[in-house]
Amino acid sequence: MQTAQKIAVVGSGLVGTLLAIYLKKLGHTVHVYDRSPDIRNVEFSGRSINLVMSKRGWKTLEDIGLDEEIRNIGIPVDKRGIHLQDGSYITQNYGKEGEAIFSLSRGILNRKMIDLAEKSGVKFFFNQKIWDVTLSSATLHVGETERGEWTEIKFDKVFGADGAFSRIRHRMQRQSMFDYSQEFMKIGYKELHIPANPDGTHKIDKNSLHIWPRGEFMLMGLSNLDGSFTCTLFMPFEGENSFEQLQDEKSLVAFFATYFPDTVAVIPDLVEDFFKNPTSYLVKMKCYPWTYKDKLALIGDAAHAIVPFYGQGMNAGFEDITILNDLIGQYGDDWQMIFTEYEKSRKPNADAIAELAERNFNEMSAKTADENFLLQKKIEKWFSDKYPEKWLPLYSRVTFSLQPYAEALAIGEYQNQIMQEVLKIENIAEIWDSQFVENKILDLIK
Amino acid sequence: MQTAQKIAVVGSGLVGTLLAIYLKKLGHTVHVYDRSPDIRNVEFSGRSINLVMSKRGWKTLEDIGLDEEIRNIGIPVDKRGIHLQDGSYITQNYGKEGEAIFSLSRGILNRKMIDLAEKSGVKFFFNQKIWDVTLSSATLHVGETERGEWTEIKFDKVFGADGAFSRIRHRMQRQSMFDYSQEFMKIGYKELHIPANPDGTHKIDKNSLHIWPRGEFMLMGLSNLDGSFTCTLFMPFEGENSFEQLQDEKSLVAFFATYFPDTVAVIPDLVEDFFKNPTSYLVKMKCYPWTYKDKLALIGDAAHAIVPFYGQGMNAGFEDITILNDLIGQYGDDWQMIFTEYEKSRKPNADAIAELAERNFNEMSAKTADENFLLQKKIEKWFSDKYPEKWLPLYSRVTFSLQPYAEALAIGEYQNQIMQEVLKIENIAEIWDSQFVENKILDLIK
């Protein structure tokens, strides 16, 4: 057991709230600060992308007994539903029979988790703007405005779970030897909406992650409990087929009619939503170190903000908690050791999922419409079903296993090289499930 | 001619001061702010590396008629003087007969340039701490402390020439779509010192850049006007042969006796200097964009901080001024166009010299002690002397030409591939200056 500490968690998002529950259960006094109002009392923003919970996220919830509560507010999604531009529709299973990711609305999940945290004894302080932190004494500086009066609140430990634009990290960044990078993507996104049928059912299959892959841009849809879908249009800010080209109703409607004809019937509020909802940015952020002595640690997006294309942002943040909790179990009151091992262990995996997530935009937006790629996936699945101990596809390693991301990335690259060889086989499209191909793969993976 | 503007230059370093002279000459009111005291009234810091001025820096000085003044306080350096560990000493010319870089003390140069700027009518405001800038109105916020009272000073334009840790950039960084990275090197540095002989002459050849290449670390020496040398020890912070290993007099003296035996006679104050002078960090910084509308531009290290191993940091900053001045000539009062073209034109070149500078640590610290590399340099020089229009070595492109850095980098890589082929020739060490090798190179560059 650890000696009880007074701990501040900055940020009441998903990772901050779940971390607070863990720390409370360990016997600490836990105060969560957030600069925004309580999300339970405000409208959702119109700029969110639905979340998907997969193995790593579930593991963190299971370990603290919250998985059932959360499973009730999610919808299992076991396949991609790919809407090709020629009007055809194909599906692609994500994993084996019974394996699924879960679609969750960010707002509903976040509200639920704050409820659970409060119930467990965590205290929340909303509308409290943290402008600075004194690293050496774990002291937060809170105030109305950046230039106004501040109050000091001293803790034993501070966790920065305050997202990609973390103020806590901001202070660390002004130290020597702090590596940092932020890069904004050329692709932005816009939230759109497929409403439920009058009887509350979903207009399209709720157990599929719907993609309309169009190369440089794509539309995506994930189901909600109320029968609706949260859709996300990912598209470059500038150039051909970009947000900058869609400035008026006419060009918008024409664009959707051309590229997403089957959505016209199911997105009735396209024009209203498109011009009401903001066009949002995507940022990649890396930094190191993540901790300051035994006083402070960054976690989740504050330590590693990635693009959303692998559905792993929240899962990676939750896995941070699992690792941290394991190290707490191992090292007890030696917080310096806990923090050092935490950042050393997590950093390479955070870098790996950042890389995988960025690559996956191309997979989703372009390759899912590519015959060779679909064939590759089919062969991998067929071979993996025959030899599950010899071949686990990369997506499954990332999504349905707890293998460290860095290992998954490395093995995925090795497997991909093998598949590129296999795809060179003459008539592979005809003979892909033959003994010959099976032997060839067995030979290559020796 | 441009309409006169009220312009603030933040930073009284080399780039800020020279930019101020240019802007003053164009008819603007120019105020230079610096958070530090006037460098003319303070001791040097004991943490500086001597500067080398090369073609690009001279060009910027020549265009405004200041080159002669500066040449008088520099010492031409036309070769590397390489001190091998076995006690042997070899030299390597930097360029053709008559080509040299100039060794300059940062303090002496900076003081001189502030004098010149004041003479031209630029006003300096020292000990003025800029904490923030309002981008949209080019307003500086100045005050004693970050949390204390601030005064607003409004300008028409602001230039951020405030170095790698620029406060001006700091504000831009908090905007969407601002890409930024900072990375600290694993290698630090320490200033050391070879004093003059009693008669004021130099103890070792003043026209050589002295290197003691030892693989992972190196010592470097550049001459000063007063007969002394400013030396710099570059070494990893941690590991074998690192700063962390040299904690006491005994280990320091033993280390120098082992690795730099010929310095023992010429660095009498080794122990005192080593423990008095700080161990300094090296940081690489990249960002984009560099400008905000027609209001603000970053320049020099504030826009692109690089490592010092190509001697191009100051030269690249001065070249920023040349390009900016060319664009001012071209676009007159259209500052928005000037700034946009400036950042578009300079960014790829800043990235290229960052890359070249980083690679050059390995060249200086390891390759200069490598026979193959010395042979390659010899072949390149021999061929280049014969066919100057066909082959200009990379170092010469960077140092003695005005070719954009990005082009130099690209051609350098192409040339290096050719040289790797040439080095594979049997007995190349014996026949390197033969007709056969000449024909081979002529063949490869076709």
Side-chain angles (χ1 to χ4, degrees), chain A residues 10-54:
Chain A
V10 181
S12 71
L14 302 165
V15 173
T17 305
L18 185 52
L19 172 66
I21 296 172
Y22 264 79
L23 293 170
K24 182 68 199 168
K25 203 177 175 189
L26 285 162
H28 303 297
T29 301
V30 187
H31 291 183
V32 178
Y33 287 82
D34 204 297
R35 60 194 307 108
S36 303
D38 189 340
I39 194 176
R40 293 169 299 186
N41 306 329
V42 293
E43 285 282 313
F44 297 159
S45 67
R47 61 189 306 158
S48 90
I49 306 169
N50 266 30
L51 297 164
V52 288
M53 187 85 71
S54 55

Side-chain angles (χ1 to χ4, degrees), chain B residues 12-28:
Chain B
S12 70
L14 301 167
V15 174
T17 306
L18 185 53
L19 172 66
I21 296 172
Y22 265 80
L23 293 169
K24 182 67 201 169
K25 202 175 175 189
L26 285 162
H28 303 297

